[in-house]
C-alpha cells in the first residue's frame, strides 16, 4: 500500500494533543515513532487558523518526562494507527498521540477569499454575515484554492486534518507550585491560560475537548490548602472534575504514574468517541439537506463543472465511514463505505469523467481506497469469505471500466495494479491476524491455510475455492505472477515509446499517453528505459515479492510450494546473472527439497542443472561434484552434450581455487551407486570365521564412464573391526562375484582416515585388496570372512565409498538401515550368478555367541529347601571336559529382592566373610558385588576339583539366587575368554510355627493373712523394699503346639521356654515339662508336638495391684533327621505377650476323681480375693439331669482382703463317656456382676461355663 497516500488508507483512531510537556529530542529524532504524529499540514490548512499559545514554559521535570513516556506507551494500546487490529476484531483502546510545547496551531476552518473578488475581504478582517456564508473549508470542492475544486470528490488532506491536525481533545499539563509566596500568582496564571484556550476553541467553532492535568509538588496530606486551590481552579475554569480535571500527586512511583496515564486515557475515550459522533451528525445533516451550497467563486468558463449531487453523496458517505472508524464502529463504517463505493462506481461519478482527465485517476484512486477500507472492515468483523468476494468484485468492476472507458488491460500498467491489489490483500490479512483454518503438520503442529466461510453465508450456498480467504502467501503468489506479466509486457514496449519526453516528438508522446496506463506506475521510458538509463528494476521487484511469498508459505509448512518458489527465485537471480545469490538459494534447495523424496524427477533434474550452472560460474567445486554424482543416475534424462564422467567434471575450470573434499550421504541425494551387506548366517561363535558379502550396484547411464573406487570402508556396531577394501586393478575381465578377499590386520597408525567415514573405535583395521572398478549397470559382489573375537550383537552399520582423484575427493556414505529388499546371498554356478533369499529381515546383523564352554559345574549337597537359623554349606564340583589344558577362576555372587541378604564365603579361604572395605558401613554393602575370584588353577583334560563354600544363617524367610561363574581360557588361546555360569535358587523358609494356650492353675501355697504380721514382710536393714517377692503367687499353664513346616523330618533335641522379660513388678519362675514322647523325637512334615510349661508368677509386693505382662520365647534345638552329619540349629519362636491380671477376683475350677467311690468326682471352686476390700458373693449351683451333686445349692460367701476359699461339690454323674457341665453362678453382691469361672487341668470351658469329663467305665 506504499503507492497510496498513507492518510488515505490507514486505519483511523482518536487523535489527542498533549500541550505543556517538553519535547524529547531523542524521540523527535526517531522518524519511526508509531504513536507520535508529525505530519506537516499544507499551507492552506495552516494559514489563518486559530493559534493556541501560552506564556508558561513547558515542563521538564522528571515526573513530566515519565508522564509523557507512559502516556505514549498507554496510547499505543493493542494496535497502532497504521491499521493493525487485534485478532478477534475487537475495538482497540489506542490513541494517536502528539506531544507539543505550549503553542499549537489549529487548522483553518474557512478558506481565504479569492484575491480577485473585491467584494470579499480577507479572512483575517471583519466580513459581513452574507459574505462569510460564501466562504468554505480550504479543502472543500467549493473553495477555489482547494485541490479538489471544482469537481473533485475527496482529497487525503481531509483525513490528515482530522488524524494529525485537529484533535478530539487537547490535554494541557501544568505544575501546581508548592511555594506559598507564588502559589496565588501561579494559580491565577493557570486559570487565565485555561480560560483563554477555551475562548479560542469557542471562537473557532471546533468542538475539541479541553482537559487539564496538574502535577503537584505537595500532596493534599502534606499541604491541606492544595485541595482548596484545586477546587478554586475548577470553579474558575468550569472544568468537569470527573472527565476534564486531573491531579497527579508528587513523588508518585512509575507504577502509579502508569496507572494515572491509563486512568486519564480511559476517561477521555468516551469523550473522544462522542466528539467524532458529533462530527458524524454534522456530516449527516449536510448530506440530508438536499441542496449543494454555492461555491465561493464560480468555475472559470470552459473548465469542468461543479461536483454533482452524486459526487457530494460519495464525499459525505466517505466522511461518515472515516468518522465511524475513528469511533471503532467498523460495521457502520463498512455500510457507509459500501454506499460511497456503489455511488462512486456508477455512471454519474466515475464514468462521467473522461479517461484523459486528471480526475479519472483521482476517482480511481478513491475507489481503491474505499475498497481497501471495506476489506479492512470485513476482516475486522471476521467476514473472510465476504472480504475475498469483495476483493474480486472490485477487480472485476475496475477491469470492466478500464476496458470500456480507459486504456485497456493489455499493458504493463494494469498488471502493475493487479500485482499491487493482490499485495494489498496480503498486507491486510497480515495486519488482521485472523484465526484461519488449520491443518496438522508432520510433528503435530498446526498451520494456517485458509479461513472457513463465516456464519453469515447461507448453508448450502456454493463457495468457490478462490472465495475462501487464504493466508497471505497465496495473495503474494498472485502478486508475483502479475509482476512477471508486467515485466513481459514492459519488454514489449517499442523503442520509440521508450525515449524520454525531451528526445521524442510531441505527437509520439501524445500517442504513447493514449496507449499506456500510467496509473500509480512510471512512464514507458522509465518502466523499460533504453540502455544506459535507470528505470524500473523488474527483477528486483519479483525477487523481493518471491522472498516474501516463500516466507509466508514456509510459515504455513507448505513445503512443495516453497520448493517451487525457491526454484523460481533462483531462475530470476540467474536472469540477473547474480550467480552467488542464485547459488545460495539452490544449494539448500538441492539438499532438502521434497521432490526427491516423492519421486518428482523432472523437477529434481531442473534443480540439479540450475545448481550445476551456478556452481560452474562461481567455481563451487563441491556443488559440481555432488550434482554430477546425482545426474549420473538413470532416473534422469541424459543430455547428449554431457560426458557423464566424474573425472572430467572439474577440468577446464580455473575458478575452482582448492581441491574440494565432498561428503555425500544416501537418502540426501539420488545416487547411481547403492550397496548392501549380508552375513551368510545369523549366528556365529567366538573364534570361528563368518562369511559375508558386500554388494555394490550401479544404475548409471549406459553411456557414462566407468567409476573406480579408491577404497570401501565398512563400519560395524559391536565388537567387529572396521573392514577396508582397497582398489587393486585386475589384469583380466572381472566376474560379477569377485574372489574372496583375504583380510589382514593393519594398525590405525598406518592408515589415513576418510573424511566421510564415521569415527571407528577399533585400533586395528582389517584390510583387503580387490578390484573396485564398476561399469554402468554392473553389480559387484565382494565376499570375505571375518574372525569373530568377542561375544555380543554386531551389525554392519555403514559403508563409505571413496573416490580420490587429482582434482577432488568424494566420500559416499551408505547406512545399512533397512535392507529387507536386499537380503540375498549371491553365488556363482557354471558362470551363472544366482541370488538366494536369506530368510531374515536384517541380513547385516549377526549374533556372536560365546565359544561353547565345555567346563562342567555341579553343586553338591544341595537340598530342595533350607530353613532359618541354619548354616548352608555347599560344594562346587568343576570338571574340565575340554580337550586341552585350561586355567580358570571362579566367582560367587548372591542376588535377591531383599535388602538384607546373607553373606557368602569360601570355606577354603576363611570361615568368616571378608572385612568390609573402607567406606563400607555394614555387611549389606557387599550385596550384589562379586567376591574376589577363587583361583581354580590349571586343569588338565578330564580333571576334577571341588571347592566348598557356605552361606551365613538368616533369621527370616527369604529367597535368593546363588550364581557361580567360572572364567577360563585355553592355554593355547589366551585371547579368547570363555565363561560359564550356574545359577541356583535357594529358598529359605521357617521350619516351625506354634500356637499357644495360656490358662490359670491353682497354686496350693498358703496366702499370707491380712490379720497376721509375718517376719518376711518387715523390711531388713532399714530398706524400703523387701529383699524377696512377698506378694501373692499365681500359677499359669502355657501349652505350646509346635507344627513342622519342613519338607522332611526333623529331630527335635530340646524345647525350652525362656523368659525375655516381665513388666509390672512380678517375678516369673518357669517349670518345663517333658514332651509326651521324650527328647530327641522326630517331627514329620506337618507333624504336631505339644509342650506344656507351668509358670509361677510372684508379686514383688503384697500391696501391688497392677496387672503384669510376660515376654516369653520358645527355643527349639533341632537338626535334619536323615543326615547324620548335620549340625544342630536353634530356632527361637517368640510367644505373644501374656497378660497377668492384678487385683481382680477370680474363680478357678478343678476336679479330682475319687479313688474310693467309682464315678464320684470332687469338683472344687477356689474363689480368690487379691484386693484390699471385703467381698460378698451369692453362690448357687444349678441342678442337671446329667448328674447329681452334694454341697450347698444356694449360699452367701464373704471373703476378707487377701484371702481365698474353696467350695467342694461331690458330683455323681448319671451319664458316662461324655462331658458334663456343672453351672455354678457366683455374683458379686455389691457390683451385681457375675464372675467368670476358669477351668484348670483336666477340664475345658466354653461360653456357658466349665466342662468335666466323665469316664466311660462309670
Amino acid at each position: 500500500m506504499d503507492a497510496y497516500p498513507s492518510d488515505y488508507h490507514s486505519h483511523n483512531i482518536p487523535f489527542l494533543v498533549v500541550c505543556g510537556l517538553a519535547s524529547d529530542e531523542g524521540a523527535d529524532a526517531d522518524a519511526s515513532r508509531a504513536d507520535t504524529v508529525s505530519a506537516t499540514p499544507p499551507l492552506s490548512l495552516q494559514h489563518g487558523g486559530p493559534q493556541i499559545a501560552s506564556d508558561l514554559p513547558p515542563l521538564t521535570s522528571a515526573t513530566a518526562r515519565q508522564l509523557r513516556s507512559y502516556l505514549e506507551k498507554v496510547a499505543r494500546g493493542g494496535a497502532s494507527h497504521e491499521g493493525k487490529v487485534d485478532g478477534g476484531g475487537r475495538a482497540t483502546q489506542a490513541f494517536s498521540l502528539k506531544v507539543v510545547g505550549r503553542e499549537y496551531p489549529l487548522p483553518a476552518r474557512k478558506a481565504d477569499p479569492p484575491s480577485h473578488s473585491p467584494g470579499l475581504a480577507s479572512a483575517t478582517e471583519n466580513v459581513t454575515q452574507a459574505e462569510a456564508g460564501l466562504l468554505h473549508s480550504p479543502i472543500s470542492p467549493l473553495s477555489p484554492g482547494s485541490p479538489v475544486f471544482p469537481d473533485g470528490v475527496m482529497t487525503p488532506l481531509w483525513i490528515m486534518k482530522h488524524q494529525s491536525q485537529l484533535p478530539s481533545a487537547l490535554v494541557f499539563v501544568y505544575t501546581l507550585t508548592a511555594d506559598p509566596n507564588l502559589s496565588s500568582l501561579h494559580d491565577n496564571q493557570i486559570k487565565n491560560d485555561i480560560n483563554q484556550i477555551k475562548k479560542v476553541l469557542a471562537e473557532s467553532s471546533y468542538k475539541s475537548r479541553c482537559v487539564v492535568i496538574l502535577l503537584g509538588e505537595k500532596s493534599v496530606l502534606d499541604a491541606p490548602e492544595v485541595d482548596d486551590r484545586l477546587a478554586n481552579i475548577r470553579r474558575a475554569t468550569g472544568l468537569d472534575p470527573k472527565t476534564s480535571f486531573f491531579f497527579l500527586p508528587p513523588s508518585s512511583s512509575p507504577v502509579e504514574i502508569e496507572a494515572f496515564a491509563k486512568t486519564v486515557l480511559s476517561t477521555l475515550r468516551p469523550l473522544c468517541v462522542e466528539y467524532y459522533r458529533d462530527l458524524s451528525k454534522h456530516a449527516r445533516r449536510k448530506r440530508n439537506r438536499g441542496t449543494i451550497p454555492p461555491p465561493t467563486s464560480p468555475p472559470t468558463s470552459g473548465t469542468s463543472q461543479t461536483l454533482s449531487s452524486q459526487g457530494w453523496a460519495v464525499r459525505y458517505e466517505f466522511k461518515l465511514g472515516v468518522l465511524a472508524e475513528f469511533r471503532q464502529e467498523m460495521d457502520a463504517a463498512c455500510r457507509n463505505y459500501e454506499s460511497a463505493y456503489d455511488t462512486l462506481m456508477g455512471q454519474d461519478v466515475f464514468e462521467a469523467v473522461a479517461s484523459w482527465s486528471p480526475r479519472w485517476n483521482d476517482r480511481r484512486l478513491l475507489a481503491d481506497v474505499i475498497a481497501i477500507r471495506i476489506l479492512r472492515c470485513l476482516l475486522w468483523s471476521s467476514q473472510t469469505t465476504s472480504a475475498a468476494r469483495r476483493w474480486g468484485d472490485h477487480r472485476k468492476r475496475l477491469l470492466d471500466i478500464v476496458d470500456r472507458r480507459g486504456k485497456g488491460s493489455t499493458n504493463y500498467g494494469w498488471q502493475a495494479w493487479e500485482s499491487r491489489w493482490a499485495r494489498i490483500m496480503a498486507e491486510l490479512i497480515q495486519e488482521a491476524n485472523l484465526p484461519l483454518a488449520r491443518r496438522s503438520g508432520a510433528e503435530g503442529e498446526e498451520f494456517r491455510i485458509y479461513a472457513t466461510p463465516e456464519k453469515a453465508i447461507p448453508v448450502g450456498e456454493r463457495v468457490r475455492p478462490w472465495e475462501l480467504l487464504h493466508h497471505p502467501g497465496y495473495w503474494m503468489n498472485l502478486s508475483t505472477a502479475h509482476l512477471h506479466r508486467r515485466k513481459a509486457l514492459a519488454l514489449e514496449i517499442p523503442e520509440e515509446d521508450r525515449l524520454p519526453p525531451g528526445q521524442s516528438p510531441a505527437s509520439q508522446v501524445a500517442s504513447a499517453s493514449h496507449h499506456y496506463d500510467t496509473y500509480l506506475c512510471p512512464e514507458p521510458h522509465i518502466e523499460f528505459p533504453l540502455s544506459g538509463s535507470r528505470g524500473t528494476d523488474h527483477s528486483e521487484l519479483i525477487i523481493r515479492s518471491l522472498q516474501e511469498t516463500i516466507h509466508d508459505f514456509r510459515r504455513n509448512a507448505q513445503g512443495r510450494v516453497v520448493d517451487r518458489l525457491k526454484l523460481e527465485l533462483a531462475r530470476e537471480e540467474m536472469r540477473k546473472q547474480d550467480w552467488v545469490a542464485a547459488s545460495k538459494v539452490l544449494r539448500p534447495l538441492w539438499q532438502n527439497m521434497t521432490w526427491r523424496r516423492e519421486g518428482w524427477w523432472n523437477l529434481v533434474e531442473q534443480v540439479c542443472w540450475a545448481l550445476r550452472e551456478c556452481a560452474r560460474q562461481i567455481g563451487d567445486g563441491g556443488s559440481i561434484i555432488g550434482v554430477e554424482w546425482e545426474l549420473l543416475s538413470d532416473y534422469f534424462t541424459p543430455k547428449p552434450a554431457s560426458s557423464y564422467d566424474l573425472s572430467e567434471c572439474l577440468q577446464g575450470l580455473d575458478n575452482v581455487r582448492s581441491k574440494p573434499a565432498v561428503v555425500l550421504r544416501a537418502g540426501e541425494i539420488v545416487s547411481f551407486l547403492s550397496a548392501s551387506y549380508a552375513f551368510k548366517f545369523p549366528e556365529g561363535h567366538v573364534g570361528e570365521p563368518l562369511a559375508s558379502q558386500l554388494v555394490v550396484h550401479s544404475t548409471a547411464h549406459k553411456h557414462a564412464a566407468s567409476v573406480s573406487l579408491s577404497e570401501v570402508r565398512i563400519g560395524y556396531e559391536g565388537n567387529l573391526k572396521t573392514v577396508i577394501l582397497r582398489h587393486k586393478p585386475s589384469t583380466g575381465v572381472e566376474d560379477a562375484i569377485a574372489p574372496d578377499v583375504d583380510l589382514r590386520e593393519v594398525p590405525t597408525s598406518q592408515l589415513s582416515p576418510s573424511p566421510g567415514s564415521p569415527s571407528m573405535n577399533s585400533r586395528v583395521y582389517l584390510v583387503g585388496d580387490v578390484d573396485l572398478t564398476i561399469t554402468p549397470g554392473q553389480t559387484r559382489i565382494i565376499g570375505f570372512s571375518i574372525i569373530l573375537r568377542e561375544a555380543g550383537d554386531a551389525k554392519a552399520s555403514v559403508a563409505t565409498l571413496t573416490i580420490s582423484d587429482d582434482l577432488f575427493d568424494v566420500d559416499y556414505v551408505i547406512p545399512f538401515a533397512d535392507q529387507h529388499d536386499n537380503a540375498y546371498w549371491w553365488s556363482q554356478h557354471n558362470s551363472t550368478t544366482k541370488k538366494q533369499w536369506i530368510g531374515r529381515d536384517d541380513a547385516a546383523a549377526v549374533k556372536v555367541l560365546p565359544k561353547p564352554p565345555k567346563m562342567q559345574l555341579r553343586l553338591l549337597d544341595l537340598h530342595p529347601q533350607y530353613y532359618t537359623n541354619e548354616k548352608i554349606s555347599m560344594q562346587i564340583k568343576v570338571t574340565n571336559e575340554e580337550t586341552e589344558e585350561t586355567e580358570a577362576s571362579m566367582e560367587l555372587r548372591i542376588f535377591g529382592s531383599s535388602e538384607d541378604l546373607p553373606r557368602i564365603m569360601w570355606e577354603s579361604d576363611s570361615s568368616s566373610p571378608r572385612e568390609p572395605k573402607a567406606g563400607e558401613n555394614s555387611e549389606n554393602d557387599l550385596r550384589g558385588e562379586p567376591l574376589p575370584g577363587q583361583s581354580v588353577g590349571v586343569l588338565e583334560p578330564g580333571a576334577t576339583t571341588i571347592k566348598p563354600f557356605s552361606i551365613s544363617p538368616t533369621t527370616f524367610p527369604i529367597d535368593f539366587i546363588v550364581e557361580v561363574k567360572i572364567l577360563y581360557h585355553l592355554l593355547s588361546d589366551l585371547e579368547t575368554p570363555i565363561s560359564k555360569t550356574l545359577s541356583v535358587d535357594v529358598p529359605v523358609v521357617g521350619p516351625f510355627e506354634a500356637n499357644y494356650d495360656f490358662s490359670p492353675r491353682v497354686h496350693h501355697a498358703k496366702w499370707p493373712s491380712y490379720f497376721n504380721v509375718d517376719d518376711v514382710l518387715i523390711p531388713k536393714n532399714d530398706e524400703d523394699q523387701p529383699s524377696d517377692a512377698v506378694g501373692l503367687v499365681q500359677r499359669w499353664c502355657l501349652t505350646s503346639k509346635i507344627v513342622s513346616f519342613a519338607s522332611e523330618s526333623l529331630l527335635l533335641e530340646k524345647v525350652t521356654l525362656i523368659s525375655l522379660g516381665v513388666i509390672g513388678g512380678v517375678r516369673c519362675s518357669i517349670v518345663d515339662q517333658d514332651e509326651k514322647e521324650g527328647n530327641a523325637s522326630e517331627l514329620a512334615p506337618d507333624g504336631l508336638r505339644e509342650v506344656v510349661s507351668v509358670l509361677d508368677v510372684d508379686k514383688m509386693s503384697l500391696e501391688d495391684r497392677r496387672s503384669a505382662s510376660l515376654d516369653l520365647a520358645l527355643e527349639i534345638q533341632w537338626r535334619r533327621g536323615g543326615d547324620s552329619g548335620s549340625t544342630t540349629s536353634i530356632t527361637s519362636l517368640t510367644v505373644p505377650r501374656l497378660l497377668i491380671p492384678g487385683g481382680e477376683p477370680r474363680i478357678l475350677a478343678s476336679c479330682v476323681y475319687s479313688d474310693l467311690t467309682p464315678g464320684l468326682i470332687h469338683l472344687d471352686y477356689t474363689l480368690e480375693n487379691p484386693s484390699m476390700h471385703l467381698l460378698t458373693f451369692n453362690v448357687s449351683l444349678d441342678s442337671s439331669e446329667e448328674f447329681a451333686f452334694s454341697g450347698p445349692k444356694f449360699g452367701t460367701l464373704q471373703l476378707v482382703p487377701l484371702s481365698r476359699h474353696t467350695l467342694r461339690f461331690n458330683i455323681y454323674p448319671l451319664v458316662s463317656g461324655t462331658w458334663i457341665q456343672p453351672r455354678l453362678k457366683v455374683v458379686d453382691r455389691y457390683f451385681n456382676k457375675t464372675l467368670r469361672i476358669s477351668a484348670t487341668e483336666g477340664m475345658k470351658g466354653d461360653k456357658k461355663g466349665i466342662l468335666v469329663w466323665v469316664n466311660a467305665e462309670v
Side-chain angles (χ1 to χ4, degrees), residues 417-625:
W417 181 88
E418 287 262 32
S419 175
R420 187 183 306 110
W421 186 235
R423 173 180 285 272
I424 287 172
M425 190 63 171
E427 293 176 357
L428 290 175
I429 296 173
Q430 288 176 348
E431 294 171 355
N433 192 22
L434 292 172
L436 303 180
R438 299 176 180 270
R439 68 175 177 87
S440 298
E443 300 180 357
E445 299 179 357
E446 293 185 344
F447 306 103
R448 298 171 295 182
I449 300 301
Y450 60 87
T452 55
E454 59 268 20
K455 295 181 179 179
I457 302 297
V459 178
E461 180 179 349
R462 183 177 179 182
V463 179
R464 301 176 182 87
W466 55 86
E467 293 178 347
L468 298 174
L469 188 67
H470 289 68
H471 63 82
Y474 168 83
W475 305 96
M476 289 302 302
N477 193 27
L478 288 178
S479 176
T480 306
H482 289 294
L483 285 177
H484 281 290
R485 299 190 188 101
R486 173 184 177 181
K487 180 181 179 181
L489 292 174
L491 295 178
E492 296 177 359
I493 300 176
E495 185 174 352
E496 58 271 14
D497 292 342
R498 294 160 54 193
L499 293 173
Q503 301 179 11
S504 58
S507 59
Q508 187 66 32
V509 174
S511 176
S513 63
H514 290 285
H515 288 85
Y516 300 103
D517 186 0
T518 58
Y519 170 70
L520 297 182
C521 64
E523 298 290 338
H525 67 279
I526 300 177
E527 180 73 13
F528 184 35
L530 297 174
S531 58
S533 302
R534 298 183 59 182
T536 303
D537 190 349
H538 295 93
S539 296
E540 185 63 27
L541 294 176
I542 294 173
I543 290 172
R544 194 161 52 242
S545 179
L546 282 172
Q547 290 173 346
E548 297 177 11
T549 308
I550 290 171
H551 173 73
D552 290 329
F553 276 100
R554 183 189 292 113
R555 186 174 56 185
N556 291 278
Q558 294 180 267
R560 298 188 187 94
V561 182
V562 170
D563 291 348
R564 179 184 62 80
L565 294 174
K566 284 184 177 180
L567 180 57
E568 184 178 346
L569 175 61
R571 286 173 174 170
E572 192 63 34
E573 297 281 8
M574 293 171 67
R575 294 188 189 102
K576 287 182 59 179
Q577 295 187 354
D578 191 350
W579 306 106
V580 175
S583 178
K584 291 180 180 180
V585 176
L586 288 172
R587 178 74 182 185
L589 176 61
W590 174 72
Q591 293 174 343
N592 306 314
M593 58 181 163
T594 59
W595 299 330
R596 185 184 290 112
R597 296 191 298 269
E598 297 168 356
W600 295 4
W601 306 120
N602 184 26
L603 296 174
V604 174
E605 186 175 3
Q606 295 181 32
V607 175
C608 290
W609 285 110
L611 179 58
R612 179 179 180 273
E613 178 64 22
C614 292
R616 293 181 68 88
Q617 292 291 336
I618 65 176
D620 185 1
S623 297
I624 296 174
I625 296 299

Side-chain angles (χ1 to χ4, degrees), residues 6 192 540 801 951 1040:
S6 60
N192 294 333
E540 185 63 27
L801 312 182
I951 302 174
S1040 305

Side-chain angles (χ1 to χ4, degrees), residues 615-635:
R616 293 181 68 88
Q617 292 291 336
I618 65 176
D620 185 1
S623 297
I624 296 174
I625 296 299
V627 171
E628 290 285 354
W629 184 287
E630 188 166 16
L631 289 174
L632 282 172
S633 175
D634 60 1
Y635 282 104

Side-chain angles (χ1 to χ4, degrees), residues 208-269:
S208 299
R209 269 58 173 177
C210 180
V211 180
V212 174
I213 298 177
L214 295 180
L215 306 183
E217 294 182 354
K218 281 189 178 182
S219 64
V220 178
L221 298 177
D222 296 335
E225 67 276 5
V226 171
D227 198 5
D228 296 335
R229 293 171 60 189
L230 294 176
N232 185 19
I233 295 174
R234 285 198 302 266
R235 287 192 298 270
T237 56
L239 295 176
D240 187 355
K242 294 183 179 179
T243 60
S244 302
F245 194 82
F246 300 93
F247 176 71
L248 179 62
S251 303
S252 298
S253 65
V255 176
E256 293 173 336
I257 296 177
E258 183 177 5
F260 177 79
K262 291 181 180 179
T263 302
V264 171
L265 294 183
S266 62
T267 305
L268 294 181
R269 182 76 191 182

Side-chain angles (χ1 to χ4, degrees), residues 805-864:
D805 193 79
D806 295 338
L807 299 178
F808 62 88
D809 292 329
V810 59
D811 286 347
Y812 180 57
V813 182
I814 306 174
F816 300 128
D818 186 8
Q819 297 194 108
H820 179 75
D821 297 335
N822 297 319
Y824 294 98
W825 185 263
W826 296 74
S827 60
Q828 190 169 4
H829 300 280
N830 299 326
S831 301
T832 302
T833 302
K834 297 181 179 180
K835 62 180 180 179
Q836 182 181 0
W837 174 252
I838 292 180
R840 60 183 187 273
D841 293 337
D842 195 354
V846 63
K847 185 176 182 62
V848 182
L849 302 175
K851 186 173 183 178
K854 297 181 181 179
M855 191 77 73
Q856 299 298 325
L857 298 178
R858 181 184 175 189
L859 283 178
L860 306 179
D861 304 329
L862 182 64
H863 295 284

Side-chain angles (χ1 to χ4, degrees), residues 42 116 180 201 275 299 327 383 409 967 1010 1215 1248:
H116 62 274
L201 290 176
Y275 167 80
R327 302 191 306 271
Q383 301 182 47
S409 58
L967 303 172
Y1010 181 73
V1215 294
K1248 297 181 180 180

Side-chain angles (χ1 to χ4, degrees), residues 107-179:
R109 188 171 183 85
K110 299 292 184 179
D112 292 337
S115 58
H116 62 274
S117 179
L120 296 176
S122 175
T124 59
E125 301 177 358
N126 295 328
V127 294
T128 64
Q129 183 176 1
E131 293 171 344
L134 296 178
L135 297 179
H136 304 281
S137 171
I139 53 177
S140 172
L142 302 176
S143 298
S146 172
V148 293
F149 179 82
D151 56 351
V153 178
M154 181 53 65
T155 174
L157 295 179
W158 182 87
I159 302 178
M160 184 184 70
K161 169 185 173 182
H162 289 278
Q163 185 63 76
S164 60
Q165 296 302 317
L166 183 60
S168 58
L170 285 161
V171 182
F172 300 93
V173 185
Y174 300 96
T175 299
L176 191 66
T177 182
D179 190 351

